[in-house]
Amino acid sequence: RATIGINLDLGWSVGTLRRIVAPEVGHVYHFAARGAVEGLSSDGILNEGLATWLSAPFWLADLGAESFESLIRSNMERGVYFGLVEDYEVDLSARAASGRECVELRDALYTQWAGFVGFLIDKYGVEAVLSATRLPAELVEVGRGEWRRGSQLDYVAAFGASLADLENEWLRRLAEE
């Protein structure tokens, strides 16, 4: 049994709300396929990227795009790109001047992660990605009863290549399309 929790901002547009709710439903499918609903799995990029990838019809329609790749390329042209290694634990609120900008950066980040997950699925298959999300997370307590990932997934163990190498291959593919 799992619970989806959303902190609602009454100022959100319907599209923003849909882009928040749809990936949460994606998490439900992901956790069911993973066989666990409790605790964090080992990688934020895979967890959030997979949930966003699963919500593609809603996510892309609300952002007016045909694909994650077209959105990522558009964001990169505007100078918005989060390095998968350098920005692994990025604090969007520290980079944003307003709540609206924070949501826009979150959309760009999750779009990017979904595109990367789509690349991994194309290269290795859905089961390989799901298997990687089953790997245990190293959790660190950050407060009374609150935990966060202490380290990222060992991509070499999961996919046979480092996160940096996979990111470079993915970026080359994006540039070629």
Side-chain angles (χ1 to χ4, degrees):
R1 182 176 182 165
T3 303
I4 296 173
I6 297 171
N7 295 317
L8 177 65
D9 180 334
L10 295 176
W12 286 340
S13 69
V14 171
T16 297
L17 185 57
R18 196 173 19 240
R19 284 191 313 281
I20 290 170
V21 172
E24 295 306 321
V25 175
H27 283 302
V28 172
Y29 284 105
H30 167 210
F31 292 150
R34 183 179 147 225
V37 294
E38 292 184 0
L40 297 169
S41 60
S42 61
D43 191 74
I45 294 170
L46 294 185
N47 289 337
E48 298 303 334
L50 184 58
T52 305
W53 183 82
L54 287 166
S55 68
F58 301 104
W59 189 271
L60 295 172
D62 285 338
L63 294 174
E66 294 181 17
S67 69
F68 290 114
E69 293 73 21
S70 67
L71 274 174
I72 295 163
R73 281 192 289 276
S74 174
N75 288 336
M76 290 173 82
E77 288 169 6
R78 295 183 303 112
V80 178
Y81 180 77
F82 299 95
L84 298 182
V85 175
E86 306 86 62
D87 295 316
Y88 185 80
E89 291 285 341
V90 66
D91 179 1
L92 297 177
S93 63
R95 293 189 180 193
S98 67
R100 180 180 177 172
E101 185 180 4
C102 191
V103 170
E104 290 171 0
L105 289 174
R106 190 272 336 237
D107 288 351
L109 180 65
Y110 283 23
T111 294
Q112 186 179 307
W113 287 351
F116 180 69
V117 166
F119 159 76
L120 293 175
I121 289 169
D122 287 346
K123 184 172 176 73
Y124 299 102
V126 171
E127 188 50 46
V129 173
L130 289 173
S131 291
T133 70
R134 291 183 190 109
L135 295 173
E138 177 187 332
L139 300 177
V140 176
E141 189 169 8
V142 294
R144 200 178 330 184
E146 293 187 36
W147 298 82
R148 70 167 176 78
R149 290 171 195 85
S151 63
Q152 69 187 41
L153 172 71
D154 180 349
Y155 276 79
V156 174
F159 299 107
S162 70
L163 178 57
D165 289 342
L166 289 167
E167 179 180 19
N168 288 332
E169 183 180 346
W170 172 60
L171 289 172
R172 279 192 302 276
R173 186 181 290 183
L174 271 176
E176 293 169 359
E177 292 177 348

